[in-house]
């Protein structure tokens, strides 16, 4: 299957039956989503890719992102499209491999996509290079690759994991006497350590105990013992950013923690999310009381209600879509940003070049309060050598309370200073 749809009929049919009308909203081919024809503009094709988790036993599974993209397409087209344009959503399984990432990017070129939205790939160079050649903007992205914050074709919605680590430093500095960090023994892990160090230093706190660990280990008992020793049993904090293995580390840590000890734990969204808290016991989870730094408001915030309504109406029963999942949320934010951009352009024909021109020209993207209003002009970027494409360096502080991630502080927290300082001194 190619995912291409048949050319539209030159004249719309006026007498569709209910069954045919419903069928018009279903996927045609493999991964292409048509909608109702717009009255005033040509269709707008976009692409969202993410690994579906089926290509290898250890492949990331972010299928909720592509499923959310499809649900959004059905919803917006049922309401007449975006500014009169049918939104054609093409999805692609990135497979969590460089080859898969490259194939999805070339698919976007073949489909003449005006943008790639809200996607996930750890293989930034493979996915972004074809987009750079075709000048197709990459709006959003999960931030799983540092290339997203350097490529000139990328327009990130958030500051990625770097902003989260900078935020974690500030969050811990207010509530912890001592900090232990357990992180991967990789270049990315080195960056985590430096960002945390920079943030703690600027707050007048001592540097953290840095505990690098090999990737792929199955037991973290040794690291947990070192982390506990460094944090102490009263007033200290332990933070870990190990992706899917964060759960394994904190399970080891809580088992070794002495009874009566008062050690706060912390992490970032992506390593700790509501589905993980639910799965590990809710209010009895090892994450109860944990500090968590995020990009967006807490999952229970009213600003997510429009997304939840769309999921209920367009994807009820689709268990791939969890509204508390950060990947699903990122896709929603990216599509919301594109809707805002297209509506402000008032063009009868939308192309990748026109979207890029609007982005560079400073058109504002309103995400309904889920991020600050975004613009991607040169002067909107923070000007950091390490993170030249970041325009949104604000994060949210959350805490796990009674088994739910809730806001620990209202509003967004700006971590630009830490990002700039870390970049300048590294």
């Amino acid at each position: 299957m190619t995912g291409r749809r048949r050319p539209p009929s030159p004249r719309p049919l006026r007498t569709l039956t209910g069954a045919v009308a419903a069928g018009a909203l279903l996927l045609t081919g493999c991964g292409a989503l048509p909608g109702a024809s717009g009255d005033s503009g040509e269709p707008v094709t976009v692409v969202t890719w993410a690994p579906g988790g089926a290509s290898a036993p250890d492949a990331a599974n972010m299928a909720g992102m592509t499923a959310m993209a499809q649900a959004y397409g059905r919803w917006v087209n049922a309401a007449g499209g975006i500014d009169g344009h049918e939104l054609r959503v093409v999805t692609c399984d990135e497979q969590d491999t460089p080859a898969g990432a490259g194939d999805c990017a070339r698919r976007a070129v073949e489909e003449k996509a005006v943008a790639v939205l809200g996607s996930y790939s750890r293989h930034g160079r493979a996915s972004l290079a074809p987009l750079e050649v075709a000048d197709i903007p990459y709006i959003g992205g999960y931030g799983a690759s540092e290339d997203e914050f350097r490529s000139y074709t990328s327009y990130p919605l958030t500051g990625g994991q770097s902003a989260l680590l900078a935020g974690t430093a500030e969050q811990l500095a207010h509530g912890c006497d001592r900090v232990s960090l357990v992180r991967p023994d990789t270049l990315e892990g080195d960056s985590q350590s430096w960002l945390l160090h920079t943030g703690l230093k600027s707050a007048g706190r001592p540097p953290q105990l840095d505990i690098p660990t090999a990737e792929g280990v199955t037991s973290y008992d040794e690291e947990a013992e070192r982390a506990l020793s460094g944090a102490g049993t009263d007033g200290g904090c332990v933070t870990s950013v190990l992706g899917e293995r964060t759960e394994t580390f904190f399970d080891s840590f809580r088992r070794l923690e002495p009874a009566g000890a008062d050690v706060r734990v912390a992490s970032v969204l992506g390593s700790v999310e509501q589905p993980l808290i639910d799965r590990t016991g809710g209010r009895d989870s090892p994450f109860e009381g944990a500090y968590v730094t995020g990009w967006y408001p807490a999952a229970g915030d009213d600003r997510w209600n429009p997304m939840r309504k769309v999921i209920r109406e367009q994807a009820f029963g689709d268990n791939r879509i969890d509204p508390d999942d950060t990947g699903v949320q990122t896709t929603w934010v990216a599509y919301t940003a594109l809707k805002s951009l297209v509506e402000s352009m008032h063009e009868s024909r939308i192309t990748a070049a026109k979207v890029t021109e609007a982005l560079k020209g400073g058109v504002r993207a309103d995400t309904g309060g889920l991020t600050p209003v975004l613009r991607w002009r040169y002067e909107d970027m923070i000007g950091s050598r390490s993170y030249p494409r970041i325009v949104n360096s604000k994060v949210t502080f959350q805490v796990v309370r009674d088994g739910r991630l809730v806001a620990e502080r209202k509003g967004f927290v700006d971590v630009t200073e830490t990002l700039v300082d870390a970049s300048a001194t590294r």
Side-chain angles (χ1 to χ4, degrees), residues 27 62-67 70 74 317-322 328:
L27 292 177
M62 305 296 288
M65 298 180 74
T66 49
Q70 293 164 351
R74 290 191 290 268
D318 188 339
N319 59 15
R320 294 174 299 171
I321 303 180
D322 187 334
V328 168

Side-chain angles (χ1 to χ4, degrees), residues 207-243:
Q208 75 275 8
L209 174 64
D210 188 36
I211 306 172
T213 182
E215 291 188 294
V217 300
T218 56
S219 172
Y220 290 97
D221 286 356
E222 180 181 343
E223 290 84 355
E225 288 179 354
R226 291 186 61 198
L228 184 61
S229 175
T233 57
D234 184 22
C237 294
V238 173
T239 185
S240 174
V241 182
L242 295 168

Side-chain angles (χ1 to χ4, degrees), residues 76-135:
V76 81
N77 287 331
I82 301 178
D83 196 32
H85 296 273
E86 167 198 337
L87 183 65
R88 181 170 178 264
V89 176
V90 178
T91 60
C92 185
D93 186 350
E94 185 262 5
Q95 299 180 7
D96 204 16
T97 65
D103 287 344
C104 286
R106 286 184 285 274
R107 173 79 182 279
V109 177
E110 292 169 2
E111 297 284 353
K112 295 182 172 56
V114 306
V116 173
L117 300 176
S119 298
Y120 179 100
S121 180
R122 294 190 290 183
H123 310 286
R125 196 77 310 259
S127 60
L128 290 170
L131 301 187
E132 291 172 350
V133 173
D135 201 21

Side-chain angles (χ1 to χ4, degrees), residues 30-200:
C30 181
L33 177 69
S37 297
D39 293 330
S40 60
E42 295 184 8
V44 171
T45 297
V46 295
V47 171
T48 296
W49 63 60
S55 59
D58 59 346
N61 185 353
M62 305 296 288
M65 298 180 74
T66 49
M68 183 71 249
Q70 293 164 351
Y72 188 97
R74 290 191 290 268
W75 169 71
V76 81
N77 287 331
I82 301 178
D83 196 32
H85 296 273
E86 167 198 337
L87 183 65
R88 181 170 178 264
V89 176
V90 178
T91 60
C92 185
D93 186 350
E94 185 262 5
Q95 299 180 7
D96 204 16
T97 65
D103 287 344
C104 286
R106 286 184 285 274
R107 173 79 182 279
V109 177
E110 292 169 2
E111 297 284 353
K112 295 182 172 56
V114 306
V116 173
L117 300 176
S119 298
Y120 179 100
S121 180
R122 294 190 290 183
H123 310 286
R125 196 77 310 259
S127 60
L128 290 170
L131 301 187
E132 291 172 350
V133 173
D135 201 21
I136 296 174
Y138 183 85
I139 302 174
Y142 187 86
S145 164
E146 288 299 312
D147 293 282
E148 293 180 32
F149 305 100
R150 296 189 177 95
S151 171
Y152 64 83
T153 201
S154 180
Y155 298 86
L157 301 168
T158 71
Q161 191 172 87
S162 298
L164 296 183
L165 262 296
T168 295
E170 183 170 336
Q171 197 171 17
L172 295 178
H174 289 291
C176 308
D177 296 328
R178 298 164 304 282
V179 176
S180 295
L181 168 67
V182 179
R183 50 83 171 185
D185 189 10
T186 61
L187 290 175
E188 181 182 354
D190 292 344
S191 177
Q192 291 180 16
S193 179
W194 184 248
L195 279 161
L196 194 65
H197 169 81
T198 303
L200 291 173

